[in-house]
Amino acid sequence: EPEVTQTPSHQVTQMGQEVILRCVPISNHLYFYWYRQILGQKVEFLVSFYNNEISEKSEIFDDQFSVERPDGSNFTLKIRSTKLEDSAMYFCAGGADDNEQFFGPGTRLTVL
Amino acid sequence: AQSVSQHNHHVILSEAASLELGCNYSYGGTVNLFWYVQYPGQHLQLLLKYFSGDPLVKGIKGFEAEFIKSKFSFNLRKPSVQWSDTAEYFCAVNGFSSGTYKYIFGTGTRLKVLA
């Protein structure tokens, strides 16, 4: 059964550096999402993406964040200048419609 | 304001005990309801979902949930838990807001099943 995949599984970076987290959704997915989960806290919605544009974003998703789907398969989340508080698990999700989502395994981002 | 509440943060049960995890939501309009499970070291997996129809929903691994609209609740149940059910369980609501669907997750309930 196809699954959503994410790379890398763990990313360690210095504060102020740019990171790009990658997600490969299942081929029939049209809707894409990023969430994060800070250690010990609840899952938080970051952004949804459909038809090559952001459909909704949360207050967390400020100018430091951006998403794109450059080649029609990978769905990326870029953090321009990482802060310590960006350390979290970042989950990508995809769905064939906007009523359900299949999650990837997550990327653990550690900002030092 | 839109919110999802899971009142039990930590639950410890012995094997074969029955389980019920509470979930209440506050969300105007039509909602879809989900329970996700996150096993230690693994990613989120969908346990079950409710969109419409029979309010008693059966999911994988013997789990079920009942949507009670009047109580804004979607409690998760399992008649007899196993050690392998040790995990964190998240209730989520998906509703239409500001022109698109958005997911809101509860804070999670950490379940530990003692062998």
Side-chain angles (χ1 to χ4, degrees):
Chain A
E1 187 175 324
E3 291 186 338
V4 176
T5 58
Q6 289 184 242
T7 55
S9 56
H10 191 187
Q11 173 90 46
V12 181
T13 190
Q14 296 289 328
M15 191 170 58
Q17 295 295 305
E18 175 183 285
V19 294
I20 297 177
L21 310 183
R22 291 183 169 79
C23 171
V24 181
I26 298 170
S27 60
N28 68 335
H29 286 171
L30 300 175
Y31 296 81
F32 309 99
Y33 310 82
W34 281 102
Y35 295 83
R36 76 173 185 191
Q37 186 178 24
I38 296 172
L39 185 65
Q41 299 186 24
K42 65 179 178 180
V43 176
E44 299 173 295
F45 168 78
L46 290 178
V47 66
S48 58
F49 189 86
Y50 171 72
N51 201 26
N52 283 323
E53 59 183 28
I54 290 173
S55 44
E56 185 153 353
K57 59 183 181 180
S58 71
E59 60 274 10
I60 302 168
F61 194 87
D62 61 21
D63 292 343
Q64 293 298 312
F65 291 88
S66 63
V67 290
E68 61 177 5
R69 195 164 178 242
D71 56 9
S73 61
N74 290 304
F75 177 53
T76 62
L77 174 70
K78 182 193 290 185
I79 308 176
R80 252 179 282 282
S81 177
T82 50
K83 304 187 285 284
L84 294 176
E85 52 266 37
D86 293 328
S87 294
M89 279 290 286
Y90 287 81
F91 294 99
C92 163
D97 60 52
D98 56 6
N99 279 338
E100 63 179 19
Q101 299 175 0
F102 294 90
F103 283 80
T107 293
R108 184 177 299 281
L109 176 65
T110 301
V111 182
L112 303 177
Chain B
Q2 303 147 355
S3 65
V4 176
S5 298
Q6 291 181 245
H7 306 296
N8 314 105
H9 299 296
H10 289 92
V11 173
I12 300 175
L13 295 173
S14 298
E15 271 194 318
S18 65
L19 169 72
E20 180 159 3
L21 302 182
C23 174
N24 288 90
Y25 67 92
S26 172
Y27 206 108
T30 303
V31 296
N32 302 312
L33 298 153
F34 304 80
W35 275 97
Y36 290 88
V37 61
Q38 189 173 27
Y39 297 102
Q42 296 188 31
H43 57 90
L44 284 169
Q45 297 175 40
L46 181 66
L47 264 183
L48 48 79
K49 59 184 184 285
Y50 172 78
F51 290 165
S52 63
D54 188 344
L56 185 61
V57 179
K58 294 195 183 301
I60 61 171
K61 306 187 182 189
F63 286 91
E64 65 178 31
E66 185 175 12
F67 171 53
I68 303 179
K69 189 175 181 180
S70 60
K71 295 185 178 180
F72 299 94
S73 70
F74 189 56
N75 292 353
L76 181 71
R77 300 196 292 249
K78 186 171 183 178
S80 176
V81 295
Q82 301 171 305
W83 177 81
S84 57
D85 293 324
T86 294
E88 190 153 15
Y89 293 81
F90 295 91
C91 179
V93 168
N94 167 306
F96 201 72
S97 171
S98 304
T100 190
Y101 281 96
K102 184 167 73 173
Y103 268 76
I104 298 175
F105 281 77
T107 51
T109 296
R110 199 177 293 273
L111 172 67
K112 183 168 184 174
V113 180
L114 305 174

